[in-house]
Amino acid sequence: MDKNGKQSANPGDAYLVIRDGKKWSDVFRLIPGRTVTIGRSPTNMIVLREDQASRQHAEIFYSQGHWYVRDLGSRNGTAIGEDRLSGDHRLVPEDIVSIAGTQMTFAEDLAEAYQENSGKNRRGHKPMPPQETRIGLEFDGSAPKTPNSASGVTEPQTITHRRQRTRFIQPEDDADDGSEVNSGSGMAAARICRLAFSLANETTQRGIAKTAMDSLVKETQVDAGAVMLVPRHRRTTVDPEKLEILAWCSTERPEYQRVSTFLAETALRNGEAVLARDVQDDSAFGFRDAAGTIHATSVICAPIRLANRSVGLVHLYSTTQKVLNPEDLEFTLAVAETIAVAIRTRQREQKLVEDLSKTKNEIDFLRSQLSVESEIVGSSEAMLRVHQQIAKAAPSRATVLVRGESGVGKELVARAVHFSSDRKSGPFVCINCAALSETLLESELFGHERGAFTGATERKAGKFEAADKGTLMLDEIGEMSPSIQAKFLRVLEGHPFERVGGSRAIQVNARVIAATNRDLEASVREGTFRKDLFFRLHVVQIDVPPLRNRPEDVMQLSEHFLQKFKSETGRKIEGFSPQAVQQLKRYRWPGNVRELKNVIERAVVLASGSVIELDELILTKLTTNTESQFDFGTIVEPYHPQTLEEVERRHIEATLHSNAWNKSQSAKILGIERSTLDRKIKKFEITRDV
């Protein structure tokens, strides 16, 4: 309840009407539960531009059903009217909060705030409201007088043309001439503010048009009307039949009657708003029915402008004794401009969404073209540990050493580290140290000048330069020769380097990720790998386990590769047969993920049916590196007490299953006769799974 005993419509609803210098510039809505900070810092909700304001000057907060203002120890203080603020002050309607050159009027009813601000307020200050802007053509023309059917008197028909902005919306650069706005204009401006708040919550153009149309019907002397836009596939049109009606209403007639060609052309081509009254005999402003009778007694048509281009219009007309007046024209102009702002905001949001989607699609396409794997497949506990190590290593700038057997996916881990780091926008460069001779490796790493050696016909930048501000992966680092190791160590220590045959020092900023399947510690003991380089590389280590130590990932990887090669070849393969699944799980995979990928690709190409059968999985008989230093946590079955007969039965059963119950092949593997195998099957009651 305010000082006049009035109860606010919604408890807690309040506004700050802000005056910047000599003009009212903004309206800020106060929401209960949200503290509003005021000051010069851009982090405040209300930012002041005056140097006299402190960075954190004051705050307004809601407590126990009332709004309060509090000074935050500012340098020049906060005032309520003429009184300097001390402590918390409870705000009541008409209170003016003064900070530096900015004044904010507290109001619980926005319309009353504008009305009260049109004259002297209780603090004795006379605020300056927005001024009317008249730019371009505006005239009232008198036509021959015609009898008025309602009153029997003659009145001139009146046509008013208006260009540019309404006086309800003041441009930022308008000077203050000291004029005041009347009570009606203040209330209309308050209604425009409320409409702007409502349109901000609409997410579609039709929703914007519907909300605006409802406001026009409520606030003007109108019987029917519509909001129309030029279709998006057309840049412009003045044909009323081609305009898209987003929202319409009709209170007296069964349906809305379209705007005339003259009015549409005036609004869309000339950018003029038109108010025509007492136009019973002019079809340019109204419309005729089958009998040729004009039904519109007064008409308003206002353009909707975006970037100085008319993209639509608001058409209103009266068919009863209601007469549209110049205030209705001003209000319609303001609504049209508010619609334009809301539509422009929605279009920008839509364009941002479309651009984001387009950019994402382009990135996905480029990654697929470059065959960049962006995910590490596998959900076993061992791979979860790898993911955790990647997440910890990625944010740092430390050198990473990735260790694991050949084919486990060390490069994929290196890519994951790069794309999870702050260098992901930079290049990812990979080089295999084992694939090049010593001379070529030095040239590839550090580059060379023209004429540095036979065949060096042009200057070439090395991989280090190519990886500047990105990541350089050195695969098979253990194969690097001792002489290159020394030069490589200096670069790792942050020293500049020179191209082969060059003399200019080059400094780069590249993160190094090294990978190896060798025992570097043994190489250091043998003297083939520098100890200081080993310690420089061995900052963060990520161990990638072999595939046989994470059997739960085998089928997940198999399905991943099956879908990949199905897409590439167009084969319609549904999956794997039970025997093939059993073999995939049992096999030890000496070649790790690389071997599994090749096996699945070969099976997809050779498959003769809708599923991959056991005989279509071509596996090797190579032994695994179980005894190597990379066999992290080799799986050993727990001991269970059992007799030799039980062991024999289980072994025979497993052999039969692995050979799809081919008894001749199984007997050959077991080293017994076919008849002996039949007797043992009968003895142990071994049955074939159906």
Side-chain angles (χ1 to χ4, degrees), residues 559-575 600 604 610 612:
E559 292 292 342
H560 170 76
F561 291 132
L562 176 61
Q563 296 302 322
K564 172 181 172 64
F565 296 123
K566 276 174 54 180
S567 175
E568 292 180 0
T569 61
R571 299 293 304 275
K572 297 185 181 301
I573 300 176
E574 298 177 359
I600 301 301
V604 170
S610 60
I612 295 176

Coordinates of all heavy atoms in Angstrom, one line a residue, residues 559-575 600 604 610 612:
E559 N 31.1 -53.9 -32.3 CA 29.9 -53.3 -32.8 C 30.2 -51.9 -33.4 O 29.6 -51.5 -34.4 CB 28.8 -53.1 -31.7 CG 28.2 -54.5 -31.2 CD 27.4 -55.1 -32.2 OE1 26.9 -54.4 -33.2 OE2 27.1 -56.3 -32.1
H560 N 31.1 -51.2 -32.8 CA 31.5 -49.9 -33.3 C 32.1 -50.0 -34.7 O 31.7 -49.3 -35.6 CB 32.5 -49.2 -32.3 CG 33.1 -48.0 -32.9 ND1 32.5 -46.8 -32.9 CD2 34.4 -47.8 -33.4 CE1 33.3 -45.9 -33.5 NE2 34.4 -46.4 -33.8
F561 N 33.0 -50.9 -34.9 CA 33.7 -51.1 -36.2 C 32.7 -51.7 -37.2 O 32.7 -51.4 -38.4 CB 34.9 -52.0 -36.0 CG 36.0 -51.4 -35.3 CD1 36.7 -52.1 -34.3 CD2 36.4 -50.1 -35.6 CE1 37.7 -51.5 -33.6 CE2 37.5 -49.5 -34.9 CZ 38.1 -50.2 -33.9
L562 N 31.8 -52.6 -36.8 CA 30.8 -53.1 -37.7 C 29.9 -52.0 -38.3 O 29.7 -52.0 -39.5 CB 29.9 -54.1 -36.9 CG 28.7 -54.7 -37.7 CD1 29.3 -55.5 -38.9 CD2 27.9 -55.6 -36.8
Q563 N 29.4 -51.1 -37.4 CA 28.6 -50.0 -37.9 C 29.4 -49.1 -38.8 O 28.9 -48.6 -39.8 CB 28.1 -49.2 -36.7 CG 27.1 -49.9 -35.8 CD 25.9 -50.5 -36.5 OE1 25.4 -49.8 -37.4 NE2 25.5 -51.7 -36.2
K564 N 30.7 -48.9 -38.5 CA 31.5 -48.0 -39.3 C 31.7 -48.6 -40.7 O 31.5 -47.9 -41.7 CB 32.9 -47.9 -38.6 CG 34.0 -47.1 -39.5 CD 35.3 -47.1 -38.7 CE 36.4 -46.6 -39.6 NZ 36.2 -45.2 -40.0
F565 N 32.0 -49.9 -40.8 CA 32.3 -50.5 -42.1 C 31.0 -50.8 -42.9 O 31.0 -50.8 -44.1 CB 33.2 -51.7 -42.0 CG 34.5 -51.4 -41.4 CD1 35.0 -52.0 -40.2 CD2 35.4 -50.5 -42.0 CE1 36.3 -51.7 -39.7 CE2 36.6 -50.2 -41.6 CZ 37.1 -50.8 -40.4
K566 N 29.9 -51.0 -42.2 CA 28.6 -51.1 -42.8 C 28.3 -49.8 -43.6 O 27.8 -49.9 -44.7 CB 27.5 -51.4 -41.8 CG 27.4 -52.9 -41.4 CD 26.3 -53.1 -40.3 CE 25.0 -52.4 -40.7 NZ 24.0 -52.6 -39.6
S567 N 28.5 -48.7 -42.9 CA 28.2 -47.4 -43.5 C 29.1 -47.2 -44.7 O 28.7 -46.6 -45.7 CB 28.4 -46.3 -42.5 OG 28.2 -45.0 -43.0
E568 N 30.4 -47.6 -44.7 CA 31.3 -47.4 -45.8 C 31.0 -48.3 -46.9 O 31.2 -47.8 -48.1 CB 32.7 -47.6 -45.3 CG 33.2 -46.5 -44.3 CD 34.6 -46.7 -43.8 OE1 35.2 -47.7 -44.3 OE2 35.1 -46.0 -43.0
T569 N 30.6 -49.5 -46.7 CA 30.5 -50.5 -47.8 C 29.0 -50.6 -48.2 O 28.8 -51.2 -49.3 CB 31.0 -51.9 -47.3 OG1 30.2 -52.3 -46.2 CG2 32.5 -51.8 -47.0
G570 N 28.1 -50.2 -47.4 CA 26.7 -50.4 -47.8 C 26.1 -51.8 -47.5 O 25.0 -52.1 -48.0
R571 N 26.9 -52.6 -46.9 CA 26.4 -54.0 -46.6 C 25.4 -54.0 -45.5 O 25.4 -53.2 -44.5 CB 27.6 -54.9 -46.1 CG 28.7 -55.0 -47.2 CD 28.3 -55.8 -48.4 NE 27.8 -57.1 -48.1 CZ 28.5 -58.2 -47.9 NH1 29.9 -58.1 -48.0 NH2 28.0 -59.3 -47.6
K572 N 24.4 -54.9 -45.7 CA 23.3 -55.0 -44.7 C 23.6 -56.2 -43.8 O 23.1 -57.3 -44.0 CB 21.9 -55.1 -45.4 CG 21.6 -53.9 -46.2 CD 20.2 -54.0 -46.8 CE 19.9 -52.8 -47.7 NZ 19.9 -51.6 -47.0
I573 N 24.4 -55.9 -42.8 CA 24.8 -57.0 -41.8 C 24.2 -56.6 -40.4 O 24.4 -55.5 -39.9 CB 26.3 -57.1 -41.7 CG1 26.8 -57.5 -43.1 CG2 26.7 -58.2 -40.7 CD1 28.3 -57.6 -43.2
E574 N 23.5 -57.6 -39.8 CA 22.8 -57.3 -38.6 C 23.6 -57.4 -37.4 O 23.4 -56.8 -36.3 CB 21.5 -58.2 -38.5 CG 20.5 -57.9 -39.6 CD 19.3 -58.9 -39.5 OE1 19.4 -59.7 -38.6 OE2 18.4 -58.8 -40.4
G575 N 24.7 -58.3 -37.4 CA 25.5 -58.5 -36.2 C 26.4 -59.8 -36.4 O 26.8 -60.1 -37.5
I600 N 37.3 -57.2 -38.3 CA 35.9 -56.8 -38.5 C 35.7 -56.3 -39.9 O 34.8 -56.6 -40.6 CB 35.4 -55.8 -37.5 CG1 35.5 -56.4 -36.1 CG2 34.0 -55.4 -37.8 CD1 34.7 -57.6 -35.8
V604 N 33.3 -58.0 -42.7 CA 32.2 -57.3 -43.4 C 32.3 -57.4 -44.9 O 31.3 -57.6 -45.6 CB 32.2 -55.8 -43.0 CG1 31.3 -55.0 -43.8 CG2 31.9 -55.6 -41.5
S610 N 23.4 -62.4 -43.5 CA 23.0 -61.2 -42.8 C 23.8 -61.0 -41.4 O 23.7 -60.0 -40.8 CB 21.5 -61.2 -42.5 OG 21.2 -62.3 -41.8
I612 N 27.7 -62.2 -39.3 CA 29.1 -62.6 -39.5 C 29.2 -63.9 -38.8 O 29.0 -64.0 -37.6 CB 30.0 -61.6 -39.0 CG1 29.9 -60.3 -39.8 CG2 31.5 -62.1 -39.0 CD1 30.8 -59.2 -39.3

